Amino acid sequence: MAAKKVIVVFGATGVQGGSVVKAILGDAKMRESWAVRGVTRDVSKPSSKALESLGAETVAADLNNTSTLQNAMKGAYAVFAVTNYWESHSADVEMKQGKAMADAAKEAGVQHFVWSSLMNVSEFTKGVLTKVLHFDSKAHIEQYIRSTGMPATYFMPGFYMSNLPGSTFRQINNDWTLALPIPTSAPIPLLNTADDVGKFVKGILLNREKVLGKRIYGATDYYTIDEIVKEFKEQFPEAGKTAKAVELSHQVYKDGLAAKGMPGEVGEELLQNMRLLSEFGYYGGASLDESHSILVDKLTTWKEFMATKAPAFADL
Protein backbone atom coordinates (compact mmCIF):
# COMPACT_ATOMS: atom_id res chain seq x y z
CA MET A 1 0.00 0.00 0.00
CA ALA A 2 1.31 3.45 -0.91
CA ALA A 3 2.41 5.64 1.97
CA LYS A 4 -0.11 8.28 2.99
CA LYS A 5 0.46 11.86 1.88
CA VAL A 6 1.13 14.13 4.83
CA ILE A 7 -0.65 17.49 5.09
CA VAL A 8 0.76 19.91 7.64
CA VAL A 9 -1.98 22.11 9.10
CA PHE A 10 -0.94 25.37 10.77
CA GLY A 11 -3.25 26.89 13.35
CA ALA A 12 -4.59 23.37 13.91
CA THR A 13 -6.28 24.30 17.20
CA GLY A 14 -7.74 27.48 15.69
CA VAL A 15 -10.96 27.93 13.72
CA GLN A 16 -9.65 27.59 10.16
CA GLY A 17 -6.94 25.00 10.81
CA GLY A 18 -9.21 23.01 13.11
CA SER A 19 -11.82 22.87 10.37
CA VAL A 20 -9.24 21.43 7.95
CA VAL A 21 -8.15 18.75 10.43
CA LYS A 22 -11.75 17.68 11.08
CA ALA A 23 -12.71 17.62 7.39
CA ILE A 24 -9.85 15.30 6.45
CA LEU A 25 -9.89 12.99 9.47
CA GLY A 26 -13.68 12.90 9.56
CA ASP A 27 -13.77 11.45 6.03
CA ALA A 28 -12.94 7.73 5.87
CA LYS A 29 -11.88 7.97 2.22
CA MET A 30 -9.51 10.89 2.87
CA ARG A 31 -8.01 9.06 5.85
CA GLU A 32 -7.02 6.18 3.54
CA SER A 33 -4.62 8.40 1.59
CA TRP A 34 -3.87 11.37 3.86
CA ALA A 35 -2.22 11.78 7.27
CA VAL A 36 -2.61 15.03 9.21
CA ARG A 37 0.19 16.73 11.13
CA GLY A 38 -1.29 19.53 13.20
CA VAL A 39 0.99 22.42 14.14
CA THR A 40 0.43 24.08 17.50
CA ARG A 41 2.57 26.07 19.88
CA ASP A 42 2.07 23.67 22.77
CA VAL A 43 1.41 19.98 22.14
CA SER A 44 0.53 19.37 25.81
CA LYS A 45 -2.59 21.59 25.74
CA PRO A 46 -6.03 19.91 25.90
CA SER A 47 -6.84 21.34 22.44
CA SER A 48 -3.74 19.57 21.04
CA LYS A 49 -4.69 16.32 22.77
CA ALA A 50 -8.15 16.64 21.18
CA LEU A 51 -6.48 16.71 17.75
CA GLU A 52 -4.56 13.54 18.59
CA SER A 53 -7.78 11.83 19.61
CA LEU A 54 -9.10 12.54 16.10
CA GLY A 55 -6.07 10.77 14.64
CA ALA A 56 -3.72 13.68 13.96
CA GLU A 57 -0.02 13.79 14.75
CA THR A 58 0.82 17.02 16.59
CA VAL A 59 4.05 18.95 16.38
CA ALA A 60 5.14 22.12 18.17
CA ALA A 61 6.27 25.06 16.07
CA ASP A 62 6.44 28.82 16.40
CA LEU A 63 5.75 31.03 13.38
CA ASN A 64 8.42 33.40 14.66
CA ASN A 65 11.08 30.66 14.81
CA THR A 66 12.16 29.49 11.36
CA SER A 67 13.98 26.33 12.44
CA THR A 68 10.81 24.95 14.08
CA LEU A 69 8.93 25.48 10.80
CA GLN A 70 11.43 23.41 8.84
CA ASN A 71 11.05 20.56 11.30
CA ALA A 72 7.24 20.73 11.13
CA MET A 73 7.22 20.41 7.32
CA LYS A 74 9.72 17.60 6.93
CA GLY A 75 8.37 15.01 4.48
CA ALA A 76 5.10 16.90 3.89
CA TYR A 77 3.24 16.70 0.58
CA ALA A 78 0.80 19.53 1.33
CA VAL A 79 0.51 22.46 3.74
CA PHE A 80 -2.43 24.54 4.91
CA ALA A 81 -0.97 27.83 6.11
CA VAL A 82 -2.80 30.56 7.99
CA THR A 83 -1.74 33.54 10.11
CA ASN A 84 -3.58 35.68 12.66
CA TYR A 85 -3.02 39.39 12.06
CA TRP A 86 -5.07 40.33 15.13
CA GLU A 87 -2.65 38.55 17.46
CA SER A 88 0.14 41.05 16.79
CA HIS A 89 -1.85 43.85 15.08
CA SER A 90 1.20 44.10 12.83
CA ALA A 91 1.26 43.62 9.06
CA ASP A 92 5.06 43.35 9.24
CA VAL A 93 4.91 40.48 11.75
CA GLU A 94 2.23 38.70 9.73
CA MET A 95 4.19 39.05 6.48
CA LYS A 96 7.36 37.77 8.11
CA GLN A 97 5.46 34.72 9.41
CA GLY A 98 3.81 34.00 6.07
CA LYS A 99 7.06 34.28 4.13
CA ALA A 100 8.85 32.06 6.67
CA MET A 101 6.20 29.34 6.18
CA ALA A 102 6.49 29.63 2.41
CA ASP A 103 10.30 29.45 2.51
CA ALA A 104 10.27 26.40 4.79
CA ALA A 105 7.70 24.67 2.56
CA LYS A 106 9.71 25.40 -0.58
CA GLU A 107 12.83 24.01 1.10
CA ALA A 108 10.92 20.89 2.19
CA GLY A 109 9.77 20.25 -1.39
CA VAL A 110 6.06 20.67 -0.59
CA GLN A 111 3.92 19.79 -3.62
CA HIS A 112 0.78 21.75 -2.70
CA PHE A 113 0.87 24.86 -0.51
CA VAL A 114 -2.60 26.13 0.40
CA TRP A 115 -2.44 29.70 1.65
CA SER A 116 -5.37 31.33 3.50
CA SER A 117 -5.32 34.62 1.65
CA LEU A 118 -7.38 37.79 1.18
CA MET A 119 -7.68 40.57 -1.41
CA ASN A 120 -5.18 43.41 -1.73
CA VAL A 121 -7.76 46.07 -0.91
CA SER A 122 -5.46 49.08 -1.43
CA GLU A 123 -4.63 47.91 -4.95
CA PHE A 124 -8.06 46.53 -5.77
CA THR A 125 -9.84 49.80 -4.80
CA LYS A 126 -7.17 51.90 -6.56
CA GLY A 127 -6.16 53.62 -3.33
CA VAL A 128 -9.68 54.44 -2.07
CA LEU A 129 -9.47 52.01 0.87
CA THR A 130 -5.89 51.80 2.13
CA LYS A 131 -6.35 50.90 5.80
CA VAL A 132 -7.57 47.28 5.57
CA LEU A 133 -4.17 46.04 6.68
CA HIS A 134 -5.23 42.50 7.64
CA PHE A 135 -6.34 41.94 4.03
CA ASP A 136 -3.40 43.63 2.33
CA SER A 137 -0.77 41.80 4.39
CA LYS A 138 -2.18 38.39 3.42
CA ALA A 139 -2.30 39.50 -0.22
CA HIS A 140 1.38 40.50 -0.05
CA ILE A 141 2.21 37.03 1.27
CA GLU A 142 0.23 35.52 -1.63
CA GLN A 143 2.28 37.63 -4.04
CA TYR A 144 5.48 36.37 -2.41
CA ILE A 145 4.36 32.72 -2.63
CA ARG A 146 3.58 33.19 -6.33
CA SER A 147 7.08 34.62 -6.85
CA THR A 148 8.69 31.46 -5.41
CA GLY A 149 7.17 29.26 -8.11
CA MET A 150 5.97 26.78 -5.47
CA PRO A 151 2.81 24.82 -6.45
CA ALA A 152 0.11 26.66 -4.52
CA THR A 153 -3.59 27.45 -4.24
CA TYR A 154 -5.06 30.50 -2.53
CA PHE A 155 -8.10 29.98 -0.31
CA MET A 156 -10.01 33.23 0.31
CA PRO A 157 -12.32 32.89 3.34
CA GLY A 158 -15.53 34.87 3.22
CA PHE A 159 -17.22 36.87 5.96
CA TYR A 160 -17.50 34.76 9.10
CA MET A 161 -21.12 33.92 9.93
CA SER A 162 -20.00 33.71 13.56
CA ASN A 163 -19.20 37.44 13.54
CA LEU A 164 -22.90 38.32 13.22
CA PRO A 165 -25.00 36.79 16.08
CA GLY A 166 -24.66 38.68 19.33
CA SER A 167 -22.20 41.16 17.82
CA THR A 168 -23.39 43.31 14.91
CA PHE A 169 -26.70 41.40 14.97
CA ARG A 170 -28.05 41.82 18.50
CA GLN A 171 -30.95 43.08 20.55
CA ILE A 172 -31.22 46.85 20.77
CA ASN A 173 -34.19 48.02 22.89
CA ASN A 174 -35.68 44.50 22.58
CA ASP A 175 -35.53 44.55 18.76
CA TRP A 176 -33.08 42.23 17.00
CA THR A 177 -31.06 44.64 14.88
CA LEU A 178 -28.32 44.10 12.30
CA ALA A 179 -26.54 47.44 12.26
CA LEU A 180 -23.67 48.05 9.82
CA PRO A 181 -22.21 51.20 8.22
CA ILE A 182 -23.22 50.19 4.67
CA PRO A 183 -26.49 50.04 2.68
CA THR A 184 -28.72 47.10 3.62
CA SER A 185 -28.65 45.98 -0.04
CA ALA A 186 -24.89 45.24 0.18
CA PRO A 187 -23.99 41.59 -0.60
CA ILE A 188 -21.92 39.67 1.96
CA PRO A 189 -20.29 36.32 1.10
CA LEU A 190 -21.04 34.30 4.25
CA LEU A 191 -18.92 31.39 5.50
CA ASN A 192 -19.45 29.00 8.41
CA THR A 193 -15.73 29.04 9.16
CA ALA A 194 -15.51 26.29 11.77
CA ASP A 195 -17.32 23.71 9.63
CA ASP A 196 -16.78 24.76 6.03
CA VAL A 197 -13.15 25.90 5.60
CA GLY A 198 -12.18 22.22 5.74
CA LYS A 199 -14.72 21.34 3.04
CA PHE A 200 -13.06 23.80 0.67
CA VAL A 201 -9.54 22.66 1.53
CA LYS A 202 -10.57 19.03 1.01
CA GLY A 203 -11.86 20.03 -2.44
CA ILE A 204 -8.57 21.83 -3.14
CA LEU A 205 -6.51 18.74 -2.22
CA LEU A 206 -8.70 16.47 -4.37
CA ASN A 207 -8.48 18.79 -7.40
CA ARG A 208 -4.81 19.77 -7.29
CA GLU A 209 -4.20 20.13 -11.04
CA LYS A 210 -7.39 22.11 -11.52
CA VAL A 211 -6.68 24.63 -8.76
CA LEU A 212 -2.92 25.22 -8.84
CA GLY A 213 -2.25 28.96 -9.05
CA LYS A 214 -5.94 29.75 -8.54
CA ARG A 215 -7.99 31.51 -5.92
CA ILE A 216 -10.82 29.60 -4.29
CA TYR A 217 -13.54 31.82 -2.83
CA GLY A 218 -14.72 30.38 0.48
CA ALA A 219 -18.37 31.29 0.95
CA THR A 220 -21.75 29.53 0.84
CA ASP A 221 -23.43 32.37 -1.01
CA TYR A 222 -23.82 36.13 -1.24
CA TYR A 223 -26.51 37.37 1.18
CA THR A 224 -27.58 41.00 1.33
CA ILE A 225 -28.00 42.47 4.80
CA ASP A 226 -31.76 42.61 4.13
CA GLU A 227 -31.76 38.88 3.24
CA ILE A 228 -29.84 38.01 6.41
CA VAL A 229 -32.55 39.70 8.50
CA LYS A 230 -35.39 38.27 6.37
CA GLU A 231 -34.11 34.72 6.97
CA PHE A 232 -33.77 35.48 10.69
CA LYS A 233 -37.45 36.47 10.74
CA GLU A 234 -38.37 33.19 9.00
CA GLN A 235 -36.21 31.13 11.35
CA PHE A 236 -37.42 32.83 14.54
CA PRO A 237 -40.96 34.18 13.84
CA GLU A 238 -41.53 35.42 17.39
CA ALA A 239 -38.18 37.13 17.98
CA GLY A 240 -38.15 38.23 14.36
CA LYS A 241 -41.39 40.22 14.52
CA THR A 242 -39.54 43.47 15.09
CA ALA A 243 -36.13 42.48 13.63
CA LYS A 244 -34.60 45.01 11.29
CA ALA A 245 -31.56 46.00 9.28
CA VAL A 246 -30.11 49.43 9.99
CA GLU A 247 -27.52 51.45 8.08
CA LEU A 248 -25.29 53.35 10.52
CA SER A 249 -23.39 56.47 9.63
CA HIS A 250 -19.63 55.89 9.39
CA GLN A 251 -19.03 58.02 12.49
CA VAL A 252 -21.66 56.27 14.62
CA TYR A 253 -20.12 52.91 13.66
CA LYS A 254 -16.62 54.09 14.64
CA ASP A 255 -17.90 55.68 17.86
CA GLY A 256 -19.50 52.35 18.79
CA LEU A 257 -16.18 50.54 18.32
CA ALA A 258 -14.33 53.22 20.31
CA ALA A 259 -16.83 52.77 23.14
CA LYS A 260 -15.75 49.10 23.28
CA GLY A 261 -12.15 50.24 23.72
CA MET A 262 -10.95 49.87 20.14
CA PRO A 263 -8.18 52.26 19.04
CA GLY A 264 -9.14 54.76 16.34
CA GLU A 265 -6.98 53.16 13.65
CA VAL A 266 -8.62 49.76 14.22
CA GLY A 267 -12.05 51.39 13.96
CA GLU A 268 -11.05 52.95 10.65
CA GLU A 269 -9.71 49.60 9.41
CA LEU A 270 -12.97 47.82 10.26
CA LEU A 271 -15.03 50.61 8.70
CA GLN A 272 -13.04 50.38 5.45
CA ASN A 273 -13.41 46.59 5.58
CA MET A 274 -17.20 47.11 5.63
CA ARG A 275 -17.06 49.71 2.88
CA LEU A 276 -15.28 47.15 0.70
CA LEU A 277 -18.47 45.03 0.75
CA SER A 278 -20.76 47.74 -0.57
CA GLU A 279 -18.46 49.90 -2.69
CA PHE A 280 -16.31 47.30 -4.46
CA GLY A 281 -17.51 43.83 -3.43
CA TYR A 282 -15.69 41.51 -1.02
CA TYR A 283 -14.42 39.43 -3.96
CA GLY A 284 -15.01 42.17 -6.52
CA GLY A 285 -18.35 40.61 -7.39
CA ALA A 286 -16.72 37.35 -8.54
CA SER A 287 -18.96 34.30 -9.03
CA LEU A 288 -18.65 31.47 -6.49
CA ASP A 289 -19.56 28.76 -9.03
CA GLU A 290 -16.05 27.64 -9.95
CA SER A 291 -15.03 27.50 -6.28
CA HIS A 292 -18.12 25.41 -5.49
CA SER A 293 -17.39 22.99 -8.35
CA ILE A 294 -14.55 21.31 -6.38
CA LEU A 295 -16.66 20.54 -3.31
CA VAL A 296 -17.68 17.08 -2.14
CA ASP A 297 -19.61 18.28 0.93
CA LYS A 298 -22.62 20.56 1.20
CA LEU A 299 -21.93 23.99 2.67
CA THR A 300 -23.79 25.47 5.65
CA THR A 301 -26.54 27.95 4.81
CA TRP A 302 -27.21 31.01 6.98
CA LYS A 303 -30.50 29.43 8.15
CA GLU A 304 -28.73 26.22 9.16
CA PHE A 305 -26.08 28.22 10.99
CA MET A 306 -28.67 30.22 12.91
CA ALA A 307 -30.52 27.05 13.90
CA THR A 308 -27.57 25.11 15.29
CA LYS A 309 -24.36 27.14 15.49
CA ALA A 310 -25.28 30.52 16.97
CA PRO A 311 -25.25 30.59 20.81
CA ALA A 312 -26.66 34.14 20.81
CA PHE A 313 -29.82 32.81 19.07
CA ALA A 314 -30.05 29.56 21.07
CA ASP A 315 -33.03 30.56 23.24
CA LEU A 316 -35.15 32.17 20.51
Side-chain angles (χ1 to χ4, degrees):
M1 188 177 159
K4 291 184 180 182
K5 293 174 181 170
V6 174
I7 177 168
V8 172
V9 179
F10 282 89
T13 58
V15 182
Q16 287 194 45
S19 181
V20 175
V21 173
K22 285 178 209 142
I24 295 171
L25 295 180
D27 180 326
K29 203 165 179 207
M30 289 296 284
R31 282 179 81 122
E32 283 174 16
S33 48
W34 288 91
V36 173
R37 186 184 299 155
V39 181
T40 176
R41 268 178 291 207
D42 181 356
V43 293
S44 66
K45 281 192 312 188
S47 52
S48 301
K49 295 299 174 195
L51 291 178
E52 290 171 11
S53 70
L54 292 173
E57 172 198 355
T58 55
V59 61
D62 181 346
L63 295 185
N64 301 310
N65 183 333
T66 309
S67 63
T68 65
L69 299 180
Q70 290 163 342
N71 180 55
M73 293 196 220
K74 215 171 279 176
Y77 179 87
V79 170
F80 174 74
V82 62
T83 47
N84 181 4
Y85 167 87
W86 299 107
E87 199 172 83
S88 64
H89 280 258
S90 165
D92 288 339
V93 168
E94 183 171 45
M95 285 191 279
K96 196 178 282 185
Q97 292 175 342
K99 287 177 179 179
M101 281 190 280
D103 289 342
K106 174 93 171 166
E107 198 174 309
V110 165
Q111 294 301 300
H112 199 178
F113 191 83
V114 183
W115 169 241
S116 182
S117 193
L118 288 167
M119 305 292 273
N120 185 331
V121 178
S122 296
E123 198 175 86
F124 174 52
T125 66
K126 296 185 168 54
V128 175
L129 304 174
T130 58
K131 305 290 187 193
V132 193
L133 305 181
H134 69 288
F135 272 57
D136 287 2
S137 54
K138 288 180 183 65
H140 289 309
I141 296 163
E142 176 183 328
Q143 204 175 355
Y144 178 77
I145 296 163
R146 289 183 184 276
S147 76
T148 68
M150 181 166 48
T153 302
Y154 307 93
F155 171 69
M156 321 279 282
F159 190 98
Y160 288 22
M161 289 182 185
S162 57
N163 284 349
L164 292 172
S167 176
T168 48
F169 198 168
R170 65 186 190 278
Q171 272 186 300
I172 300 174
N173 301 325
N174 292 324
D175 298 337
W176 282 93
T177 307
L178 178 50
L180 292 168
I182 50 179
T184 59
S185 57
I188 304 179
L190 290 184
L191 172 68
N192 173 10
T193 322
D195 289 338
D196 291 358
V197 168
K199 295 173 187 176
F200 279 104
V201 174
K202 186 161 91 174
I204 288 168
L205 296 175
L206 292 170
N207 293 273
R208 181 179 178 273
E209 299 306 320
K210 185 179 174 182
V211 300
L212 281 180
K214 291 194 174 173
R215 287 175 166 175
I216 296 296
Y217 300 122
T220 297
D221 205 350
Y222 289 105
Y223 294 79
T224 66
I225 296 167
D226 285 326
E227 284 168 343
I228 290 168
V229 174
K230 177 176 172 282
E231 292 201 0
F232 175 86
K233 285 170 171 278
E234 291 165 3
Q235 187 69 32
F236 307 110
E238 195 55 40
K241 274 180 184 168
T242 57
K244 58 192 176 192
V246 172
E247 180 181 355
L248 302 174
S249 73
H250 292 180
Q251 195 56 51
V252 165
Y253 178 74
K254 287 201 290 186
D255 289 348
L257 294 175
K260 291 177 188 169
M262 265 185 208
E265 65 272 15
V266 176
E268 181 60 33
E269 175 163 6
L270 294 176
L271 171 64
Q272 290 198 14
N273 199 167
M274 287 293 147
R275 288 178 57 197
L276 171 70
L277 293 164
S278 61
E279 294 175 34
F280 297 91
Y282 189 98
Y283 297 128
S287 165
L288 303 176
D289 292 350
E290 193 178 343
S291 298
H292 285 184
S293 72
I294 64 169
L295 295 169
V296 176
D297 309 287
K298 185 184 170 299
L299 299 171
T300 312
T301 65
W302 169 237
K303 267 199 175 168
E304 289 165 345
F305 183 85
M306 285 190 285
T308 58
K309 305 286 181 182
F313 297 163
D315 297 327
L316 300 184

